Amino acid sequence: MFDIAVIEDPAAAEASLDPMRARLLAALAEPASATMLAARVGLPRQKVNYHLRALEQHGLIELVEERRKGNVTERVMQATAASYVISPTALAAVRPNPSDAPDRLSARWLLAVAARLVQDVGALITGADRAKKRVATFAVDATVRFASARDRAAFAEELAATVSALVSRYHDENAPGGREHRVVLALHPSVTPTTGNESEES
């Protein structure tokens, strides 16, 4: 089981978003049979089996073992990952394109960049899993509390200048065998349970 998996197929995304199937996926963080799940979710075993077949068809769950009980073979299933992220690839026709409106002060442009990040890293993970290799990535996640909007603006400008200098220092357009890497930096107000629906205009 992976810690996290990326869903790129539209049909698989649809299956995972069904409320009952999402509930079964969560329950299958630990191996279980249809009989065991039926008792947990309050559905007939046949109905649970129907949902499990759909989840298995889209690679969201997998067979762990088969147990013989009398004349019945019980299939024990488990989710293929502890959690899932749906890639914008699943909504190819309407996925955001950061190139359409590159405005580094726009929250919606930041969302488009974040969506591309999920799409790109998802594709890298999928390819690496198939090749049984690791993906060379790096991320920084930090929290900073600004005393004022002026300090926040100054921080953003200094951060941009520092990163630009680093990119200029290490970027080699003509390096033989070199490989391009995308650098994404974001700054946004922290979201808490009490402020998650509030906006900040200061």
Side-chain angles (χ1 to χ4, degrees):
M1 174 190 277
F2 296 112
D3 292 335
I4 186 169
V6 181
I7 299 174
E8 298 177 317
D9 177 63
E14 182 180 0
S16 71
L17 291 172
D18 176 90
M20 180 51 67
R21 292 174 185 174
R23 188 176 172 188
L24 291 171
L25 266 181
L28 285 170
E30 299 293 334
S33 66
T35 301
M36 296 165 63
L37 291 170
R40 292 184 203 172
V41 301
L43 283 180
R45 181 176 56 82
Q46 293 83 355
K47 190 68 173 178
V48 170
N49 267 324
Y50 167 76
H51 289 305
L52 293 181
R53 283 194 296 271
L55 292 171
E56 185 178 15
Q57 176 185 351
H58 296 298
L60 299 173
I61 64 174
E62 60 188 358
L63 180 67
V64 175
E65 64 173 312
E66 291 184 329
R67 299 171 181 167
R68 189 74 177 174
K69 288 192 173 182
N71 296 326
V72 178
T73 299
E74 189 176 61
R75 304 177 81 234
V76 178
M77 310 297 293
Q78 185 175 25
T80 54
S83 58
Y84 298 86
V85 172
I86 297 177
S87 169
T89 303
L91 296 169
V94 291
R95 63 186 170 189
N97 182 359
S99 300
D100 289 343
D103 176 3
R104 68 178 187 173
L105 299 180
S106 165
R108 285 180 171 79
W109 185 69
L110 172 56
L111 190 61
V113 171
R116 182 182 62 192
L117 179 65
V118 171
Q119 175 182 311
D120 290 353
V121 175
L124 288 168
I125 289 174
T126 300
D129 287 344
R130 288 173 182 160
K132 299 188 183 304
K133 294 182 178 180
R134 292 175 59 87
V135 183
T137 60
F138 172 77
V140 174
D141 184 13
T143 301
V144 55
R145 185 179 180 91
F146 296 112
S148 65
R150 178 179 296 179
D151 283 354
R152 183 183 62 208
F155 176 89
E157 289 301 320
E158 187 173 345
L159 181 63
T162 301
V163 172
S164 293
L166 277 172
V167 169
S168 296
R169 185 188 308 167
Y170 289 99
H171 180 68
D172 188 341
E173 188 70 35
N174 302 310
R179 181 173 182 180
E180 289 189 354
H181 286 66
R182 186 179 296 281
V183 179
V184 176
L185 293 169
L187 177 67
H188 63 79
S190 296
V191 178
T192 66
T194 57
T195 62
N197 295 323
E198 298 174 3
S199 60
E200 180 180 301
E201 298 296 340
S202 60

